[in-house]
Amino acid sequence: MFIQIVGVGKLKEKYLVQGIAEYAKRLGPYVKFEMLEVPDEKAPENMSEAEIRQVKEREGERLLALIKSEAHVIALAIDGKLWSSEELAAELDKLATYGTSHVVFVIGGSNGLSDAVLRRAQQKLSFGRMTLPHQLMRLVLVEQIYRAVKINRGEPYHK
């Protein structure tokens, strides 16, 4: 299975880069894993709704350009489904079993994802109603993917 995380913005914090690198290394024996970044759109702090939509659209175009047509896309969105770690594992297992070998998780920027990206997604996943920094979300997500892989293999880690 090939799993990608595609996100907006460059990771700058050393602790996030190191944490993601550690989980990517741990995933190596089990799946092909890749993390891709697109530049975030420079924008002022106080934007109108129209300006926010424009920023999301420009970032969304960059994200969509990296997603292959055959990929199964799971967008991280606050209004998505809440899955437990076991449910994420079951979903990845189901996708692999039924021939979907390429899964892309998409994480938007600080303003979220564009409508075009949400339409492209086959599923929307939420990690809860709390707002988390989109860069921290990458670390949380890659850890959960690793946990899911371990659950599916019946190996210890997820307790």
Side-chain angles (χ1 to χ4, degrees):
M1 180 171 254
F2 179 29
I3 298 176
Q4 290 179 302
I5 297 174
V6 179
V8 173
K10 179 151 180 64
L11 279 179
K12 299 174 190 107
E13 292 82 0
K14 189 175 178 182
Y15 71 97
L16 292 175
V17 172
Q18 290 172 332
I20 290 167
E22 176 62 27
Y23 284 109
K25 182 177 82 176
R26 291 183 190 188
L27 279 167
Y30 307 112
V31 298
K32 182 178 177 190
F33 175 78
E34 182 177 53
M35 184 162 312
L36 301 173
E37 299 172 334
V38 300
D40 55 344
E41 193 66 24
K42 303 300 177 226
E45 280 295 315
N46 297 317
M47 294 186 289
S48 69
E49 287 299 316
E51 290 170 320
I52 290 171
R53 190 175 58 254
Q54 288 176 339
V55 165
K56 291 194 304 188
E57 286 172 4
R58 285 192 285 266
E59 291 173 347
E61 289 169 4
R62 293 180 193 131
L63 291 166
L64 290 170
L66 296 178
I67 299 171
K68 303 273 190 241
S69 61
E70 72 277 3
H72 181 90
V73 177
I74 301 173
L76 271 62
I78 202 157
D79 65 339
K81 288 189 177 178
L82 293 167
W83 289 340
S84 66
S85 298
E86 291 78 12
E87 288 170 321
L88 174 61
E91 194 62 35
L92 291 177
D93 188 54
K94 182 176 83 173
L95 288 168
T97 300
Y98 293 102
T100 302
S101 61
H102 185 184
V103 177
V104 177
F105 291 89
V106 183
I107 302 173
S110 57
N111 294 301
L113 290 167
S114 70
D115 290 340
V117 172
L118 294 172
R119 282 192 304 273
R120 171 64 179 88
Q122 283 87 356
Q123 295 173 288
K124 292 193 298 184
L125 171 62
S126 174
F127 278 73
R129 294 185 342 197
M130 288 185 187
T131 301
L132 295 172
H134 60 281
Q135 295 184 342
L136 176 61
M137 198 64 242
R138 293 182 203 178
L139 176 59
V140 173
L141 177 58
V142 73
E143 187 279 334
Q144 285 297 303
I145 292 168
Y146 176 69
R147 184 179 298 267
V149 167
K150 296 295 273 185
I151 289 169
N152 285 339
R153 295 180 57 84
E155 295 177 1
Y157 172 76
H158 65 282
K159 305 254 185 228

